[in-house]
Amino acid sequence: MSTQASRTAARLMISPAVLLLLGWMIIPLGMTLWFSLQRYNLLMPGMESFTGFDNYTYFLTDPAFGAAIFNTLALVLGVLTITTVGGLLLALLLDQPFWGQGVVRVLVIAPFFVMPTVSALVWKNMFMNPVNGVFAHLAKSVGLQPYDFLSQSPLASIVLIVSWQWLPFATLILLTALQSLDSEQLEAAEMDGAGPISRFVHVMLPHLARAITVVVLIQTIFLLSTFAEILVTTNGGPGTASTTLTYLVYIQSLLQYDVGTGAAGGIIAVILANIVAIFLMRMIGKNLEA
Amino acid sequence: MGEIILKGVTKRFGEVEVIPPIDLHINDGEFVVFVGPSGCGKSTLLRLIAGLEDVSGGVVEIDGRNATEAAPAERGLAMVFQSYALYPHMTVKKNIAFPLKMAKLPPEEIEAKVQAAAKVLNLANYLDRRPGQLSGGQRQRVAIGRAIVRNPEAFLFDEPLSNLDAALRVNMRLEISELHQSLKTTMIYVTHDQVEAMTMADKIVVLQAGRIEQVGSPLELYRTPRNRFVAGFIGSPKMNFIEGAEAAKHGAHAIGIRPEHIKVSTSEGAWQGTVGVSEHLGSDTFLHVTTEYGVLNVRAGGEVDLHHGDTVFLSPDMAQLHRFDQQGWALT
Ligand SMILES: Nc1ncnc2c1ncn2[C@@H]1O[C@H](COP(=O)(O)OP(=O)(O)O)[C@@H](O)[C@H]1O
Ligand SMILES: [Mg+2]
């Protein structure tokens, strides 16, 4: 198929796209690196100067930094756990033949089409609000004190909201994978004396390994940058109870106008994201090999 | 041991009756072949016996026990699927060991049984490979290995050779027959290929549209087909049928004569015709001769030197003539 000439031609033809993408990535990264080494505060224009690694020191010694790291990990791990386990269960359920299957499948995907800001606002005002929310009404109807989700357990509430958004993605990917499983394999396992749980563990789960890996990798990348849901619900509070790394960068650059420290935080976030990515690929990346 | 009895077994998918009530007796140790054209319900019947489908009516008895409601695993049967249905993420060894592991046998016993099966099936060198790294014939053997380690009452095969090339198919056919000789376990084998049926079976069950057309040994079916369908289905090349005046001479609606029961001569004979296509196989020559009764298949000797356009005379062996009535039933 591929001769020397055709390979050269192929490389030539994709090179503009590659160069464009490279520039797209390198320029913002380069600018962020540059800003992170500058003393650059929007409240003091014209005072920019080179400060070396001071910005990094400020960011790393910020009292909110430790909390932000913990919250970021808790958010990512919490959402990952809920969406993969929940997605797996939902996929198993949706794979069963039942009346109205088509409609139910569309409904399950629906949350994915709602903008993060909108869904977070709906959760905040219509469900979790301690006065008007549905949960408050439910609690009152059985004589309980309404629970103020967003101030009592802000991080868990955000995990819940973000999970609700990502559950359809996980369900969809796992359902397609489940449907690609050869039914004869399940029947063979049934004849071999495997009960429902053994069939799930020994036949379905290995078949789903690759899909689960994809779900975990893609979600991790997106979850590390969760922002809108925090901004419209808790603003990172109370205190730093729901401040993540992304949100801390936002606080530094746009609430304290310190672009330099914000940029340093951005670089630190990139490095941490890469560490997580390498870690993940080491752990589960082998599932992606054919 | 492996005696299977079907009493009035029926299967409907919604409104469609795929299997009308069927009665069948399969003796212990018998090699039974279900044969019939595609879509006639062979797989469905096998799956009813296996318990992978629920019967719509009737009773399945295995070893004198009513197994109609029993789960597949409780029936003591092992099945080899058309797609082999190996577990792709497990090694050959784990695949074969899987039913034993599910039966919670001790590891040493599992190991011993797997090694024994691997030896019988020539798989000893492949135990650590995955199914994806095996050829079609080897995968087939792994599937059989997974079936034999369980010591089942009966083996069920659903078109196990249809994914193999012609040469391998002949080999595997022999291996399965030999396996039956040595294990002496009941085997039910589904195929659409009448050659497989004729060569392997103790008893052939010919199916059409879910109905049993005839049950008998290969030679019984060959010699005394009960109707036109069986007569045309069993035997290769196909039996020739002639209707009209020529058939009326024999007091039948249609007469049938097998290609191997027609004598060819260039000088004299009952029917005159022109050679259309001649297929020279070396051992045999298959002639397609255009006559006034239509195209007749004739099997002549390997050395016959006849070609397109030659005029030939055909004489049927009257003792081997089959006669059929209006409804297609054989007249005796
Ligand atoms: N699950 C099913 N639902 C509806 N119809 C089916 C199902 N399985 C098989 N059939 C129908 O039953 C008939 C027999 O099928 P099958 O037993 O697979 O035939 P064979 O194995 O002889 O080729 C076919 O007409 C097929 O369409
Ligand atoms: Mg079939």
Side-chain angles (χ1 to χ4, degrees):
Chain A
M1 267 302 281
S2 66
T3 61
Q4 188 73 42
S6 75
R7 263 185 308 227
T8 314
R11 279 196 200 120
L12 266 177
M13 282 192 250
I14 59 165
S15 55
V18 172
L19 287 178
L20 187 71
L21 282 175
L22 196 68
W24 209 274
M25 216 181 73
I26 290 290
I27 292 171
L29 187 66
M31 284 178 69
T32 312
L33 263 174
W34 173 248
F35 287 143
S36 73
L37 302 174
Q38 297 279 316
R39 181 162 166 237
Y40 183 3
N41 194 311
L42 293 178
L43 292 178
M44 297 178 276
M47 302 271 291
E48 294 85 19
S49 61
F50 189 79
T51 58
F53 287 95
D54 282 0
N55 286 329
Y56 289 90
T57 320
Y58 292 141
F59 193 85
L60 290 172
T61 52
D62 187 317
F65 179 74
I69 293 280
F70 172 81
N71 290 340
T72 308
L73 288 180
L75 178 73
V76 171
L77 290 179
V79 176
L80 277 182
T81 313
I82 295 179
T83 50
T84 33
V85 174
L88 208 52
L89 294 176
L90 267 180
L92 285 174
L93 204 64
L94 291 179
D95 195 34
Q96 309 297 320
F98 59 87
W99 191 83
Q101 204 172 29
V103 179
V104 172
R105 281 186 193 167
V106 173
L107 284 180
V108 166
I109 304 163
F112 209 46
F113 297 123
V114 182
M115 277 183 283
T117 354
V118 174
S119 81
L121 280 175
V122 167
W123 274 97
K124 178 186 178 182
N125 296 324
M126 300 182 71
F127 287 98
M128 293 174 167
N129 188 296
V131 181
N132 297 318
V134 173
F135 295 149
H137 278 292
L138 283 179
K140 273 185 264 181
S141 70
V142 295
L144 290 173
Q145 191 72 22
Y147 187 72
D148 189 356
F149 289 90
L150 289 168
S151 40
Q152 308 264 349
S153 36
L155 193 61
S157 303
I158 289 173
V159 167
L160 182 69
I161 295 173
V162 178
S163 299
W164 181 80
Q165 283 170 10
W166 281 95
L167 196 57
F169 171 76
T171 307
L172 207 61
I173 301 260
L174 295 175
L175 179 62
T176 1
L178 208 53
Q179 283 171 340
S180 74
L181 175 59
D182 179 10
S183 65
E184 286 198 345
Q185 269 181 43
L186 288 175
E187 288 176 348
E190 199 178 342
M191 298 226 43
D192 283 344
I197 294 178
S198 292
R199 285 206 292 279
F200 177 74
V201 172
H202 294 290
V203 183
M204 285 183 177
L205 219 45
H207 177 79
L208 290 177
R210 191 183 295 204
I212 293 176
T213 312
V214 167
V215 167
V216 168
L217 286 179
I218 291 182
Q219 285 201 30
T220 307
I221 293 165
F222 282 92
L223 292 176
L224 280 172
S225 57
T226 304
F227 176 73
E229 294 85 343
I230 304 175
L231 182 75
V232 302
T233 53
T234 63
N235 266 313
T240 55
S242 58
T243 301
T244 63
L245 209 51
T246 319
Y247 201 80
L248 191 60
V249 171
Y250 162 77
I251 292 177
Q252 295 290 353
S253 8
L254 291 166
L255 297 184
Q256 302 180 0
Y257 303 108
D258 188 347
V259 175
T261 309
I267 296 296
I268 290 170
V270 167
I271 293 170
L272 289 180
N274 274 293
I275 293 175
V276 171
I278 291 169
F279 200 60
L280 272 179
M281 288 308 280
R282 276 279 164 82
M283 262 193 336
I284 56 178
K286 65 174 192 302
N287 285 337
L288 292 180
E289 286 154 23
Chain B
M1 289 260 305
E3 186 186 42
I4 298 172
I5 302 172
L6 307 185
K7 290 180 184 159
V9 166
T10 315
K11 180 66 191 177
R12 279 185 297 273
F13 287 114
E15 292 293 290
V16 194
E17 191 171 63
V18 177
I19 309 272
I22 269 188
D23 294 299
L24 186 65
H25 193 134
I26 295 166
N27 294 318
D28 180 32
E30 218 168 19
F31 197 122
V32 177
V33 175
F34 294 169
V35 68
S38 259
C40 71
K42 308 177 296 283
S43 298
T44 307
L45 190 55
L46 197 70
R47 292 164 58 84
L48 288 174
I49 296 173
L52 294 172
E53 302 275 3
D54 292 323
V55 297
S56 308
V59 173
V60 179
E61 266 179 29
I62 299 173
D63 273 344
R65 260 181 323 117
N66 183 345
T68 317
E69 303 295 329
E74 294 163 14
R75 300 190 179 199
L77 308 175
M79 183 146 166
V80 175
F81 292 83
Q82 186 170 357
S83 67
Y84 314 142
L86 300 177
Y87 310 121
H89 51 277
M90 296 184 201
T91 59
V92 168
K93 183 185 240 174
K94 289 207 171 125
N95 262 285
I96 298 178
F98 188 71
L100 304 175
K101 193 171 144 193
M102 288 299 114
K104 303 208 166 53
L105 258 59
E108 315 83 62
E109 203 174 322
I110 294 182
E111 179 70 22
K113 289 197 176 194
V114 170
Q115 293 296 349
K119 212 168 128 199
V120 173
L121 294 164
N122 280 326
L123 284 171
N125 293 330
Y126 305 102
L127 281 178
D128 292 321
R129 295 214 196 161
R130 302 229 172 156
Q133 302 163 311
L134 299 178
S135 70
Q138 289 164 341
R139 283 182 216 180
Q140 178 68 72
R141 279 201 282 265
V142 177
I144 295 176
R146 194 173 61 182
I148 60 176
V149 284
R150 292 178 52 200
N151 255 334
E153 308 280 354
F155 290 96
L156 312 177
F157 293 92
D158 191 357
E159 311 220 10
L161 307 187
S162 57
N163 291 336
L164 303 179
D165 63 54
L168 207 50
R169 208 161 356 183
V170 174
N171 263 338
M172 284 306 298
R173 209 164 74 195
L174 277 174
E175 281 187 35
I176 294 177
S177 290
E178 277 167 12
L179 196 68
H180 180 243
Q181 303 294 347
S182 63
L183 294 177
K184 305 215 171 0
T185 312
T186 312
M187 289 190 178
I188 307 179
Y189 186 103
V190 162
T191 178
H192 62 265
D193 180 357
Q194 62 92 25
V195 176
E196 278 176 28
M198 292 295 280
T199 49
M200 303 171 84
D202 294 325
K203 181 152 103 189
I204 297 181
V205 178
V206 184
L207 292 164
Q208 188 196 197
R211 280 191 321 272
I212 295 185
E213 294 288 348
Q214 191 170 359
V215 180
S217 72
L219 283 182
E220 265 169 43
L221 298 193
Y222 178 82
R223 288 201 194 110
T224 52
R226 209 156 65 98
N227 56 29
R228 258 181 89 158
F229 177 79
V230 178
F233 198 80
I234 299 292
S236 168
K238 266 180 157 28
M239 183 186 278
N240 300 295
F241 293 104
I242 300 171
E243 294 180 2
E246 186 66 24
K249 267 197 243 167
H250 298 276
H253 173 72
I255 54 171
I257 183 79
R258 294 193 186 278
E260 53 271 40
H261 297 145
I262 298 178
K263 227 172 75 214
V264 189
S265 152
T266 47
S267 49
E268 53 178 13
W271 304 326
Q272 187 184 356
T274 323
V275 177
V277 177
S278 61
E279 300 168 320
H280 296 271
L281 301 184
S283 58
D284 296 301
T285 307
F286 295 133
L287 302 171
H288 299 255
V289 182
T290 313
T291 68
E292 58 179 301
Y293 316 110
V295 177
L296 298 183
N297 291 322
V298 178
R299 183 176 137 188
E303 307 295 328
V304 169
D305 192 25
L306 285 169
H307 296 280
H308 178 78
D310 292 350
T311 300
V312 290
F313 295 90
L314 308 175
S315 322
D317 178 353
M318 285 305 163
Q320 305 286 356
L321 204 67
H322 299 268
R323 301 182 309 134
F324 302 97
D325 69 10
Q326 195 92 34
Q327 280 74 43
W329 295 105
L331 297 165
T332 44

